[in-house]
């Protein structure tokens, strides 16, 4: 007998209790020993007046057990402030979202027989999802896309380690580095650097839109795809669509210390309590959990029993429609009955313990040498570009900066390039130091601001830095 594992069990909302209970029963029947610690989160917690949706007892349980199996949590509309899912993800810094996409026997899809079998490793906490948003003017919204070297390093290492743990050969890194050269580019460069430490794995970069195209045309070509948060969100739902829908899409949220296993799908409230829903996605999340706990035999047994059940033609309503479909509980019993049988279809993969990336937990607070050479002042103004340009030139004429250009929605509009792009009332005014090689000081920036602020409403300011000989800012379309 193996050791007993303590696992925090969050049954979730809507269909959550049905799919997590099915999973618990199958895992218990597989012979592995788990002490399930039942904890609350989600709608019932919001209703009790807890605004995060996650009570302290649940946090304490996770801190103790370090591992959770979780049902979907609904984000209630009208009460509660935050998504309990996001609270859990951020509290425990589960930075890696792992989503396997695999063909299942008998499940009708346009890709039947193509043997789709890949894994998306999605960065889970940074990017546009950091939640730093601003209305710069009533008509212009801004979301900050924050990508860090440390965040990229963790997720890229995770992807390579995950590939090794499953004997996979290729890791693709999908980015939009051709357009967002700094943010998405940081992911690409980090990937290229770290790939050299994994010579046994074929590392390839792919532009994310091409990746989406290739996934639809040749999904069987992919093995592991590592990507930033927003790209991963979209690609992984695309992936679920390739193999029969959300009922078949498992997932894991892995952090340095804590791992939370849950399906991709939500609480599907219209099916709650109807005993119709497909428990496969949560069950396979449970299988991932067993492998994380090094319970490889039990994980294989369950996977094989599931495949045999599907091969026997047993399906829930999402595959079969209402005629002849099994209820959630009957489907669960069939899987339990099939424990110990082996599928003709489902190949066994080699599974090894996942080596968690060893990245320092210390804050990344290195101050690298850089020089401020100017600043972008974002101004809200109903003037036209040439009026604003002339006015700013006049205002800063005796200051240590000069107006290099004005852009609007990323396109240079002053000095006029001769074209007439559509413009809005938020202008980026690029003011560059005139003092040669010396750094522009904060005092000089404040003095310039003082000259401008009486006449123009400034919204925010970005310093323009140079790191060694590398520009730390992008140029506008049309800027020299
Ligand atoms: P959803 O709950 O995933 O359901 C959307 C549709 O997907 C369902 O109506 C159903 O399609 C299908 N589906 C989902 N799970 C299935 C399963 N196990 N078996 C078979 N089909 C399944 O998405 P939603 O309706 O947009 O979200 C509902 C709530 O869940 C929201 O409050 C949302 O915030 C929350 N949510 C939570 C999580 C999480 O906890 N990780 C994730 C996503 C959403 P058909 O209608 O075609 O049958």
């Amino acid at each position: 007998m193996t050791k007993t594992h303590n696992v925090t069990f969050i049954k979730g909302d809507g269909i959550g209790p049905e799919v997590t209970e099915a999973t618990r029963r199958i895992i218990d029947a597989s012979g592995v020993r788990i002490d399930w610690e039942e904890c609350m989160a989600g709608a019932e917690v919001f209703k009790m007046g807890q605004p995060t949706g996650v009570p302290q007892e649940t946090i304490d349980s996770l801190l103790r057990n370090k591992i959770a199996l979780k049902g979907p949590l609904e984000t209630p509309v009208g009460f509660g402030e935050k998504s309990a899912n996001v609270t859990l993800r951020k509290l425990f810094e589960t930075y890696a979202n792992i989503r396997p996409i695999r063909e299942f026997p008998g499940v009708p899809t346009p890709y039947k027989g193509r043997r789709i079998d890949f894994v998306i490793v999605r960065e889970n906490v940074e990017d546009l999802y950091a939640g730093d948003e601003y209305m710069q003017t009533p008509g212009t919204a801004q979301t900050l896309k924050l990508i860090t070297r440390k965040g990229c390093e963790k997720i890229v290492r995770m992807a390579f380690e995950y590939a090794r743990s499953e004997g996979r050969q290729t890791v693709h890194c999908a980015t939009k580095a051709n357009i967002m050269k700094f943010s998405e580019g940081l992911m690409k460069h980090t990937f290229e650097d770290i790939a050299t430490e994994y010579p046994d794995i074929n590392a390839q970069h792919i532009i994310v839109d091409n990746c989406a195209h290739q996934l639809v045309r040749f999904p069987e070509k992919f093995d592991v795809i590592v990507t930033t948060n927003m790209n991963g969100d979209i690609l992984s739902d695309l992936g679920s669509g390739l193999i029969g829908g959300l009922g078949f899409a498992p997932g894991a949220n892995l952090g340095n210390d804590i791992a939370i296993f849950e399906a991709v799908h939500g609480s599907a409230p219209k099916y709650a309590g109807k005993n119709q829903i497909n428990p496969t996605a949560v069950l396979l999340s449970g299988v991932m959990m067993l492998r994380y706990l090094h319970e490889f035999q039990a994980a294989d047994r369950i996977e094989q029993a599931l495949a045999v059940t599907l091969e026997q033609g047993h399906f829930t309503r999402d595959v079969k429609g209402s005629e002849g479909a099994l209820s959630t509980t009957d489907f669960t019993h069939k899987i339990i009955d099939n424990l110990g049988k082996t599928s003709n279809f489902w190949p066994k993969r080699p599974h090894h313990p996942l080596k968690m990336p060893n990245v320092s937990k210390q804050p990344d607070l290195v101050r690298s040498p850089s020089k401020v050479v100017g600043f972008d002042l974002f101004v809200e103004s109903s003037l036209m570009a040439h009026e604003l340009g002339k006015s700013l030139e006049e205002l800063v004429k005796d200051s240590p900066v000069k107006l290099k250009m004005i852009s609007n929605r990323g396109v240079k509009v002053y000095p006029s390039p001769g074209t007439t792009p559509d413009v809005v009332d938020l202008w980026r005014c690029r003011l560059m130091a005139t003092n040669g090689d010396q750094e522009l000081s904060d005092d000089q920036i404040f003095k310039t601001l003082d000259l401008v602020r009486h006449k123009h409403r400034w919204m925010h300011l970005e310093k323009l830095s140079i790191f060694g000989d590398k520009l730390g800012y992008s140029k506008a379309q049309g800027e020299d």
Side-chain angles (χ1 to χ4, degrees), residues 72-75 85 262 265-268 270-271 277-278 317:
L73 304 178
E74 96 186 34
T75 307
N85 289 309
E262 62 174 334
H265 65 69
S267 59
K270 69 180 175 187
Y271 294 113
I277 207 76
N278 186 352
R317 183 212 50 86

Side-chain angles (χ1 to χ4, degrees), residues 15 19 70-76 83 85 89 245-248 253 262-271 276-282 316-318:
I15 58 167
V19 285
K70 171 183 162 299
L73 304 178
E74 96 186 34
T75 307
S83 151
N85 289 309
R89 199 180 297 167
L246 287 172
F248 292 95
N253 293 306
E262 62 174 334
V264 171
H265 65 69
S267 59
K270 69 180 175 187
Y271 294 113
Q276 288 183 345
I277 207 76
N278 186 352
T280 301
V282 174
T316 42
R317 183 212 50 86
D318 50 321

Side-chain angles (χ1 to χ4, degrees), residues 9-47:
F9 182 79
I10 300 170
K11 62 184 181 347
D13 301 320
I15 58 167
E18 293 160 73
V19 285
T20 50
E21 187 50 33
T23 300
R24 171 155 71 171
R25 290 177 70 176
I26 296 167
I27 291 179
D28 285 344
S30 76
V32 75
R33 291 196 308 192
I34 292 186
D35 225 344
W36 304 95
E37 199 169 296
E38 221 167 295
C39 289
M40 292 198 308
E44 55 183 345
V45 181
F46 285 119
K47 282 183 192 146

Side-chain angles (χ1 to χ4, degrees), residues 170-316:
T170 305
V171 178
H172 279 91
C173 176
T175 77
K176 195 72 188 166
N178 51 333
I179 301 295
M180 288 167 271
K181 295 186 194 314
F182 292 144
S183 55
E184 293 275 317
L186 192 52
M187 175 64 102
K188 177 175 184 283
H189 298 314
T190 308
F191 175 74
E192 286 161 351
D193 288 350
I194 289 174
T196 59
E197 296 174 34
Y198 295 86
D200 51 319
I201 293 183
N202 175 21
Q204 293 185 27
H205 176 258
I206 185 166
I207 299 289
V208 65
D209 35 341
N210 182 31
C211 184
H213 173 236
Q214 300 290 330
L215 275 173
V216 173
R217 295 202 66 204
F218 309 110
E220 62 277 18
K221 279 200 331 198
F222 290 91
D223 215 358
V224 175
I225 301 171
V226 62
T227 189
T228 49
N229 205 340
M230 172 97 169
N231 295 337
D233 197 0
I234 298 167
L235 289 184
S236 52
D237 268 30
L238 187 159
S240 313
L242 299 174
I243 46 109
L246 287 172
F248 292 95
N253 293 306
L254 305 184
N256 289 331
D257 302 316
I258 305 260
I260 302 175
F261 295 84
E262 62 174 334
V264 171
H265 65 69
S267 59
K270 69 180 175 187
Y271 294 113
K274 293 197 174 148
N275 197 19
Q276 288 183 345
I277 207 76
N278 186 352
T280 301
V282 174
L283 177 62
L284 289 175
S285 309
V287 166
M288 293 173 82
M289 178 184 86
L290 292 179
R291 294 205 169 107
Y292 184 85
L293 291 168
H294 301 179
E295 292 287 358
F296 296 109
Q297 265 189 346
D300 285 348
R301 265 163 70 77
I302 293 173
E303 231 173 32
Q304 292 291 330
L306 168 71
V308 169
T309 306
L310 298 174
E311 275 167 10
Q312 290 168 345
H314 301 304
F315 298 102
T316 42

